């Protein structure tokens, strides 16, 4: 029993003092490993939320078109995201530079990330997830949201993809809508997932 206690204590002391003794290269490597864990976890969470939300929106669209999908999204997107935030113990949101719902307007970090992604895409690069450590100790995963073809029915060009009648319905629910005029594959916004 005494040996087991000494083993545990030496492990705890090593964990406490080893970071102070590591070189900057080792510390950088440890951060890369931690970032890769956050990226993997963020991708899993974003994938689960996207799958759930897009599946339910597709069902609403198939059963009643835009007339059913837009009210469904308005009523259920936040509760669904909040429930998955609780499941994954992370704060999950979708943010955009052109939000439909003002609550989805990008904050300064999200806006800077969207601008970085837009610049990369303009240069022919594929945008990839990033991890940012915030001052208060939280870690944020950010990943691009690219517009898929089915989303054009609500986020495409008015008159071309969205009829004026259907856009009137959207504006009735979202009077400050800025989320139209997108093309397939265009940057719609970011997944923003905060780990405390």
């Amino acid at each position: 029993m005494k040996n087991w206690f000494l083993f545990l204590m030496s492990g705890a002391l090593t964990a406490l003092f080893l970071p102070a003794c590591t070189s900057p290269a080792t510390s950088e490597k440890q951060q890369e490993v931690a970032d890769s864990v956050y990226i993997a976890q963020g991708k899993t969470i974003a994938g689960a939320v996207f799958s759930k939300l897009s599946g339910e929106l597709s069902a609403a669209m198939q059963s009643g078109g835009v007339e059913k999908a837009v009210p469904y999204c308005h009523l259920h997107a936040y509760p669904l995201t909040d429930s998955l935030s609780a499941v994954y113990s992370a704060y999950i949101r979708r943010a955009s530079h052109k939000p439909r719902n003002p609550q989805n307007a990008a904050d300064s970090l999200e806006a800077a990330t969207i601008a970085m992604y837009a610049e990369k895409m303009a240069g022919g690069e594929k945008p990839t997830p990033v991890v940012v450590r915030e001052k208060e100790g939280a870690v944020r995963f950010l990943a691009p949201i690219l517009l898929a073809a089915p989303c054009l029915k609500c986020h495409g060009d008015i008159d071309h993809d969205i009829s004026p009648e259907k856009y009137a319905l959207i504006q009735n629910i979202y009077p400050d809508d800025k989320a139209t005029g997108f093309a397939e594959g265009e940057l719609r916004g970011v997944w923003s997932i905060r780990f405390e």
Side-chain angles (χ1 to χ4, degrees):
M1 184 66 111
K2 187 176 179 183
N3 287 340
W4 180 247
F5 177 76
L6 288 173
F7 175 75
L8 284 175
M9 286 305 293
S10 68
L13 289 172
T14 301
L16 275 173
F17 294 110
L18 187 59
C21 302
T22 59
S23 70
T26 304
S27 182
E28 248 178 61
K29 188 67 175 165
Q30 289 170 337
Q31 185 162 329
E32 283 178 29
V33 169
D35 285 357
S36 68
V37 170
Y38 283 117
I39 285 175
Q41 192 172 3
K43 284 180 175 180
T44 297
I45 293 169
V49 176
F50 174 77
S51 178
K52 183 75 172 158
L53 188 56
S54 66
E56 294 193 10
L57 271 175
S58 290
M61 187 69 85
Q62 287 175 356
S63 71
V66 171
E67 294 85 347
K68 189 163 182 182
V70 172
Y72 176 86
C73 191
H74 178 69
L75 293 172
H76 298 284
Y78 275 102
L80 184 134
T81 304
D82 289 346
S83 68
L84 289 171
S85 288
V87 167
Y88 288 105
S89 301
Y91 176 70
I92 306 165
R93 73 185 231 111
R94 293 168 300 137
S96 181
H97 53 304
K98 290 174 64 176
R100 173 148 287 163
N101 185 330
Q103 291 179 308
N104 291 355
D107 65 22
S108 59
L109 174 59
E110 293 159 347
T113 305
I114 290 168
M116 176 197 67
Y117 285 149
E119 189 176 320
K120 283 186 172 198
M121 290 175 73
E125 281 185 68
K126 182 181 175 184
T128 56
V130 295
V131 170
V132 177
R133 282 170 170 68
E134 298 182 290
K135 289 178 187 172
E136 53 287 348
V139 174
R140 194 126 47 126
F141 164 90
L142 297 127
I145 298 173
L146 304 178
L147 196 83
C151 304
L152 292 171
K153 291 177 183 173
C154 293
H155 296 287
D157 284 322
I158 300 165
D159 292 328
H160 182 261
D161 301 303
I162 309 167
S163 71
E165 298 77 29
K166 289 187 176 152
Y167 189 59
L169 171 82
I170 291 169
Q171 284 194 302
N172 186 47
I173 296 173
Y174 298 105
D176 297 321
D177 178 53
K178 296 178 179 70
T180 58
F182 287 95
E184 183 179 358
E186 194 174 347
L187 184 64
R188 171 75 184 92
V190 290
W191 289 102
S192 182
I193 301 173
R194 179 183 283 123
F195 301 99
E196 300 293 336

